[in-house]
Amino acid sequence: MEGHREVTGFEVAIVVPKKREKERDDTADCVEFLVRELKRAGLIVERVYGISDEFIKLAAPIEILGRVAAELQMKKLTYIGIELQFEWDEVSAFVRQPDGSLFSWCERFRCFQHLIYGIVNKTDSDMTLMFDGKEFQFQRNESLLKMMETEGVVKQVFPTHDEVKRKQLLRTWALNWLDFTWQPIDEIYAYFGTKIATYFAFLSMYTRWLFFPAALGLALQLVDIGPLQPLVLPAFFIFVVTWAVFFFQFWKRKNSALLARWGINYTLSEYKAVQIAQSSFSHVHDKCEKRFGDEPIEKKILQRDEWLGLLLRIRNNAIIVLAIICLQLPFELAYAHLYEVTESDVLKYALTAAYLLAIQYYTRIGGKVSVILIKYEKDQGEESSAASLVYKVFGLYFMQSYIGLFYHALSHRNLLTLRQVLIQRLVVSQVLENMIENSIPYLKYSYKKYKAFHKKKHEKGSAKMVHLVTRVEKEYLKPSYTASIGEELEDGLFDDFLELALQFGMIMMFACAFPLVFCFATLNNVTEIRADALKLLVMLRRPIPRAAATIGAWLNIFQFLIIMAICTNCVLLICLYDQEGKWRIEPGLAAILIIEHALLLIKFGFSHFVPEEPAWVRANRMRTVAQARDVFSKQLLRSISSIERNHH
């Protein structure tokens, strides 16, 4: 449907327990009261009864969402290229999404949340509501849904899958193995939101680019070029570092082109930085007004908060570093030593599997400690907290993933063992990760389903089989898309990006030791694209949309890994060409040092030659700025003229 008659599908569900007894007075029943208020707010309500719970599914006419968007003062792109505050009466001036809808999934979910949590007690007195014989006080100006969540009446509010769109994505994306790395990014953006679409765009481009070093690494493994063989590894090293620098520069261009295509002019971090700065300034300004509006006092408060936040971050980072050095480093070195002295290949694989299982728990504990520490930091909002968490947890995983490899490469100079460890890490860890990724959600779903069946059979006292008959109940029993640590700050993409970053570091930092490692990474990523798609569409609930439009802190981590790769590969080349261990600056070693400096120059200099956004994106942005300046200049002139006329 189009225009004012357009209606969204059922995209949000509220879960409440099934009542054991019917209330005598329906007007006092809190669930019935909630349903009436939801309908009064303009939402379309459908009630579905499951095995042990009731599900209130919600849809909304586009006009209702438009009114809420205007109330939220939501900014949207207009056809003249300027982002303006949304007005429902001027709806035709605003650009629609690639799928033809007026609002993105992130915007719609935000409107749904405002509607359902915005139902408050507007009467002059408290109200008494009941559920299963229990009374609750609904106080003045209190949110009804928050009160019901606190009292345990509302179990959960979660986004639901659209079956038509989900099945279409299954057919064209998750089960479409013939297209290798191609993905319908616009459809993913429309269905899952900006952050997930950006992740899959990055994974797709990264996998396509991996084919180049994978093909070269395979050729080097199969072809012997005779007397020029000693030059092969330095040449491959130069190639992969240059490849990585080019890839990330072109990824920035791709990212900016995607944002332009989706009508997003600014990233979430920029929006939030402005909002946080404004709220922080107003908070400080209020403090100063109480003290006669003294500007030097305001400056002192801002400086004090800035340095206090910096000191807290330094303290927390020091705690994490000490934990890595004192606890994790000895454990990693002990594993590396045991691996070195173990002779049986079977025992080595078993030792690696046991180590990977044990280290999972250690890093999760470290991640949870990082979350606790971040809560005491004076960060710039959720986005900055998420970035701080990424850096801290990656430090733990960096030590876990690479210290054993450094031990084999530098301490024993045993490149054969290093290659074996690389293969085992890539094969065992990737297989283990995929098993955990895909089996744990299924086991959680099966356990919840068994509990629901067992409870229902116990209540009925019957031996008959109980079946799930509603799609929304099946979705409710599925696990949500959350990170293994710190789900308050990050969603499940944290684990997916962490897996990519660790893989990138492994193939880059030890490229000279085993060029064929790029082939393993390419094959893994081709399957990872479809496995992640199936996970999102089949095994998990529909994720809560997040508006971050870049890969954020992970880009800095990838750039750091490139610098580490330059250093580690130079050391590996020295180990290869300095068999006697004398570390003398001979022509070969001098050439390696020259290569290192040249690659560092390429790494830091290339960004100045290739712009981070395409010319057409930059031209559109400049045109938008010029149009905005002209419009606001005319409005300002008209305002000045009207004030002057009124004055005379």
Side-chain angles (χ1 to χ4, degrees):
M1 297 200 304
E2 297 180 357
H4 293 11
R5 299 177 59 200
E6 184 181 343
V7 180
T8 68
F10 289 102
E11 296 186 301
V12 176
I14 301 173
V15 188
V16 296
K18 287 174 77 171
K19 287 176 284 191
R20 291 189 294 269
E21 57 184 54
K22 190 174 181 180
E23 306 295 342
R24 296 178 183 175
D25 184 9
D26 278 349
T27 58
D29 183 282
C30 59
V31 175
E32 299 295 334
F33 183 76
L34 173 64
V35 170
R36 286 196 300 272
E37 291 298 316
L38 290 170
K39 290 179 178 178
R40 188 177 298 172
L43 293 169
I44 300 168
V45 180
E46 181 181 319
R47 302 176 73 172
V48 178
Y49 294 93
I51 293 175
S52 57
D53 298 301
E54 179 185 349
F55 302 90
I56 304 170
K57 295 167 62 178
L58 303 175
I62 197 64
E63 182 178 359
I64 297 298
L65 295 180
R67 304 288 182 193
V68 174
E71 186 178 335
L72 289 170
Q73 299 181 345
M74 194 178 288
K75 300 279 188 179
K76 284 188 68 64
L77 190 67
T78 60
Y79 281 104
I80 62 171
I82 303 174
E83 278 195 342
L84 296 175
Q85 185 175 315
F86 183 79
E87 294 290 342
W88 174 249
D89 296 333
E90 307 295 337
V91 64
S92 58
F94 294 92
V95 175
R96 289 184 168 261
Q97 300 299 309
D99 65 345
S101 57
L102 180 60
F103 296 105
S104 68
W105 166 226
C106 186
E107 292 168 339
R108 294 199 304 275
F109 188 75
R110 185 181 167 195
C111 291
F112 271 111
Q113 283 188 310
H114 182 77
L115 277 169
I116 60 181
Y117 283 97
I119 298 172
V120 296
N121 182 3
K122 296 181 180 179
T123 62
D124 296 331
S125 60
D126 296 349
M127 298 174 63
T128 301
L129 299 175
M130 301 186 69
F131 184 82
D132 262 356
K134 296 181 181 178
E135 290 189 354
F136 309 106
Q137 290 300 313
F138 184 27
Q139 298 176 357
R140 292 177 57 194
N141 298 321
E142 184 182 13
S143 169
L144 175 61
L145 203 67
K146 285 185 178 178
M147 183 273 291
M148 293 176 71
E149 285 177 334
T150 304
E151 299 293 343
V153 178
V154 169
K155 287 186 172 183
Q156 206 161 31
V157 179
F158 68 96
T160 59
H161 278 291
D162 183 315
E163 277 305 292
V164 175
K165 294 179 181 177
R166 188 183 75 88
K167 288 179 179 177
Q168 182 183 356
L169 282 171
L170 268 174
R171 186 176 61 257
T172 61
W173 177 34
L175 300 177
N176 187 15
W177 288 86
L178 295 177
D179 285 330
F180 290 103
T181 62
W182 179 87
Q183 298 176 88
I185 297 299
D186 288 339
E187 286 79 1
I188 298 170
Y189 161 72
Y191 191 71
F192 287 113
T194 315
K195 191 170 186 179
I196 289 179
T198 303
Y199 163 73
F200 279 103
F202 177 81
L203 177 58
S204 176
M205 183 174 174
Y206 172 51
T207 307
R208 281 198 302 272
W209 277 61
L210 268 177
F211 279 101
F212 298 105
L216 183 57
L218 182 62
L220 295 180
Q221 196 75 17
L222 298 176
V223 178
D224 186 356
I225 58 174
L228 296 178
Q229 193 67 27
L231 301 177
V232 165
L233 288 180
F236 183 72
F237 168 42
I238 295 171
F239 172 79
V240 294
V241 171
T242 309
W243 165 85
V245 173
F246 271 67
F247 165 70
F248 282 103
Q249 200 63 24
F250 278 96
W251 160 248
K252 293 175 186 177
R253 292 171 61 85
K254 171 79 171 176
N255 199 181
S256 63
L258 284 174
L259 297 184
R261 195 164 81 203
W262 295 335
I264 301 172
N265 285 340
Y266 303 96
T267 64
L268 180 68
S269 57
E270 287 173 333
Y271 274 131
K272 289 199 170 183
V274 172
Q275 293 170 357
I276 295 293
Q278 287 176 343
S279 62
S280 174
F281 179 79
S282 16
H283 176 65
V284 172
H285 189 65
D286 291 341
K287 280 185 182 178
C288 295
E289 278 188 342
K290 293 178 183 177
R291 302 177 64 175
F292 308 103
D294 195 354
E295 188 176 344
I297 293 177
E298 183 178 286
K299 179 181 177 181
K300 288 179 182 178
I301 293 173
L302 287 170
Q303 287 178 335
R304 183 197 65 192
D305 290 346
E306 178 187 8
W307 285 104
L308 180 61
L310 179 62
L311 291 173
L312 285 173
R313 283 194 290 275
I314 292 172
R315 182 204 67 181
N316 294 344
N317 292 336
I319 292 172
I320 295 295
V321 170
L322 285 173
I324 290 172
I325 294 173
C326 300
L327 299 177
Q328 193 172 6
L329 183 59
F331 178 76
E332 299 291 343
L333 291 175
Y335 160 72
H337 178 71
L338 285 173
Y339 188 92
E340 187 71 29
V341 299
T342 303
E343 295 182 358
S344 171
D345 289 338
V346 176
L347 285 177
K348 285 183 177 181
Y349 272 98
L351 181 64
T352 302
Y355 160 77
L356 290 172
L357 282 172
I359 205 67
Q360 290 288 330
Y361 292 99
Y362 177 85
T363 46
R364 287 187 182 185
I365 293 170
K368 292 185 184 299
V369 171
S370 300
V371 172
I372 295 169
L373 291 173
I374 285 169
K375 289 180 180 178
Y376 296 98
E377 290 183 5
K378 288 184 175 294
D379 271 311
Q380 299 294 311
E382 181 184 344
E383 193 74 8
S384 181
S385 296
S388 181
L389 176 66
V390 166
Y391 295 135
K392 287 178 174 62
V393 176
F394 181 77
L396 298 172
Y397 275 91
F398 181 86
M399 182 66 70
Q400 169 226 315
S401 300
Y402 306 126
I403 190 64
L405 300 174
F406 291 144
Y407 178 82
H408 295 300
L410 302 180
S411 178
H412 292 280
R413 293 193 172 197
N414 192 339
L415 295 186
L416 181 61
T417 304
L418 177 60
R419 288 169 186 167
Q420 291 176 349
V421 174
L422 281 171
I423 295 172
Q424 289 175 7
R425 286 288 182 92
L426 282 170
V427 174
V428 175
S429 65
Q430 294 297 339
V431 169
L432 191 63
E433 285 288 337
N434 287 329
M435 284 177 61
I436 292 172
E437 246 180 56
N438 297 312
S439 61
I440 287 182
Y442 177 75
L443 291 173
K444 285 182 178 178
Y445 171 69
S446 301
Y447 177 68
K448 286 183 179 179
K449 189 167 66 170
Y450 169 77
K451 279 180 63 178
F453 289 166
H454 182 72
K455 183 179 178 182
K456 191 66 177 179
K457 285 173 69 177
H458 180 72
E459 288 175 357
K460 287 186 172 182
S462 170
K464 287 184 178 180
M465 191 67 181
V466 182
H467 295 281
L468 290 175
V469 294
T470 62
R471 168 61 61 180
V472 66
E473 186 170 23
K474 291 180 181 178
E475 288 187 38
Y476 170 62
L477 294 177
K478 292 177 181 178
S480 55
Y481 186 49
T482 55
S484 56
I485 47 97
E487 58 189 63
E488 307 97 331
L489 300 174
E490 271 287 348
D491 55 359
L493 285 179
F494 179 91
D495 294 329
D496 292 328
F497 268 120
L498 179 63
E499 186 180 342
L500 277 183
L502 293 175
Q503 180 205 81
F504 180 79
M506 197 170 294
I507 64 176
M508 287 296 298
M509 287 196 290
F510 304 97
C512 288
F514 191 38
L516 198 61
V517 75
F518 286 89
C519 293
F520 287 98
T522 305
L523 292 174
N524 174 77
N525 287 3
V526 169
T527 58
E528 187 75 19
I529 290 172
R530 309 303 163 185
D532 285 350
L534 281 170
K535 178 177 68 177
L536 286 171
L537 291 169
V538 176
M539 305 182 69
L540 301 172
R541 290 184 203 160
R542 189 178 184 181
I544 293 174
R546 296 173 184 259
T550 68
I551 63 174
W554 293 107
L555 182 61
N556 295 331
I557 287 174
F558 282 115
Q559 302 282 13
F560 163 75
L561 289 172
I562 294 175
I563 297 172
M564 286 295 299
I566 294 173
C567 301
T568 56
N569 279 285
C570 285
V571 173
L572 285 173
L573 288 174
I574 291 173
C575 292
L576 283 170
Y577 294 112
D578 184 32
Q579 297 291 341
E580 298 178 0
K582 295 180 179 179
W583 300 88
R584 293 179 302 178
I585 305 299
E586 295 179 351
L589 300 183
I592 291 171
L593 292 176
I594 292 171
I595 290 172
E596 178 190 27
H597 286 72
L599 289 175
L600 287 171
L601 181 63
I602 291 173
K603 166 68 187 72
F604 292 106
F606 183 72
S607 58
H608 296 287
F609 296 100
V610 178
E612 293 185 1
E613 57 182 5
W616 66 270
V617 174
R618 188 164 58 254
N620 285 344
R621 183 166 53 80
M622 296 303 295
R623 190 183 307 113
T624 299
V625 170
Q627 288 174 340
R629 183 187 58 201
D630 294 341
V631 169
F632 292 127
S633 297
K634 291 176 182 177
Q635 288 181 346
L636 183 61
L637 286 172
R638 282 197 294 268
S639 300
I640 294 172
S641 300
S642 61
I643 292 171
E644 189 67 23
R645 283 195 299 270
N646 293 333
H647 179 71
H648 288 294

